[in-house]
Amino acid sequence: MAQLLVVYHSKTGGSRQMAEAAADAARDEVETVIKTAAETGPDDLLSSDGYIFCAPENLAAIAGVMKDFFDRCYYPVLGKIEGRPYAQMVCAGSDGENAARQTARIAQGWRLKEAQSPIIVCTHAQTPEQILAEKRISEDDLAQCRDLGAAMGAGLAMGVF
């Protein structure tokens, strides 16, 4: 059975909610592993057939913990995961585009196949208090995350990627 790996980082809960929604939906289709970026290593990537990366955008970049995951794993799996599908989700205060570009560039270096365009959920957090507050992702946004997870799971299960 194919395996989907969902890797996420979340400090205020937004990305966690998104990753959990995607993983829960994917479980109906395929074996699914969800792990934080801090606990995910090269062996996790090597043992999975596809990936969903989910992180917040901090200061117009992917969160540092997510970047650390990519830094730790990049060279150990380079040339070993080529052609595998991936999707990504970004939890952003206002934009999210640069974080999505950064993740896409890393995935391109790994020669992964983008399974769908990034989902960017905007929380509209602009003040320090809003930015640091626990996030509550809307049901409409979580539905998009579930759709992404179900599609990734079904695609892996059917071998369409």
Side-chain angles (χ1 to χ4, degrees):
M1 177 183 249
Q3 179 175 291
L4 175 66
L5 174 64
V6 180
V7 181
Y8 76 96
H9 170 68
S10 188
K11 184 174 181 176
T12 61
S15 296
R16 178 189 47 76
Q17 293 167 59
M18 294 167 64
E20 288 173 350
D24 287 346
R27 284 189 183 99
D28 292 339
E29 305 291 339
V30 70
E31 182 180 340
T32 304
V33 175
I34 182 171
K35 295 182 91 169
T36 66
E39 67 184 5
T40 305
D43 288 342
D44 298 303
L45 289 162
L46 292 170
S47 65
S48 297
D49 302 291
Y51 316 101
I52 297 174
F53 304 117
C54 181
E57 182 176 65
N58 294 343
L59 303 172
I62 55 175
V65 176
M66 196 72 175
K67 176 70 167 62
D68 174 71
F69 153 72
F70 287 126
D71 287 344
R72 285 184 291 104
C73 296
Y74 191 83
Y75 291 108
V77 304
L78 188 61
K80 299 175 183 174
I81 61 172
E82 292 178 0
R84 296 180 191 182
Y86 84 97
Q88 64 166 311
M89 302 180 296
V90 176
C91 187
S94 57
D95 182 64
E97 294 291 333
N98 196 48
R101 275 192 298 277
Q102 287 177 304
T103 298
R105 181 63 186 100
I106 293 164
Q108 181 183 16
W110 274 337
R111 309 297 189 262
L112 300 178
K113 291 188 297 187
E114 184 180 62
Q116 84 165 54
S117 298
I119 291 176
I120 299 174
V121 172
C122 182
T123 65
H124 303 286
Q126 296 299 304
T127 67
E129 295 78 20
Q130 292 170 333
I131 291 166
L132 295 172
E134 264 315 287
K135 303 299 180 284
R136 178 156 166 67
I137 305 302
S138 75
E139 185 53 41
D140 287 345
D141 288 330
L142 290 176
Q144 287 186 61
C145 299
R146 283 190 284 276
D147 288 348
L148 180 145
M152 285 295 291
L156 284 173
M158 293 186 292
V160 298
F161 296 123

